[in-house]
Amino acid sequence: MAWQLNFTDSIHLSKAFKKAYGKTIMEVRGAGQVNCEEF
């Protein structure tokens, strides 16, 4: 998935996601409530 979003690897994607949304990808996935409009 990272390369599809023009990131070199998943580490860079994870860091950018955390910086943008204040949560890690796993925190969002673990919550089970993903609102596409929110992200």
Side-chain angles (χ1 to χ4, degrees):
M1 181 170 126
W3 62 271
Q4 293 171 326
L5 299 172
N6 293 320
F7 288 93
T8 56
D9 56 41
S10 60
I11 299 298
H12 289 103
L13 171 61
S14 296
K15 287 181 180 183
F17 190 93
K18 173 84 175 190
K19 185 176 182 181
Y21 299 108
K23 294 181 180 181
T24 66
I25 295 170
M26 293 305 292
E27 288 173 334
V28 172
R29 292 175 94 189
Q33 300 175 353
V34 177
N35 182 352
C36 294
E37 293 174 4
E38 183 180 336
F39 295 101

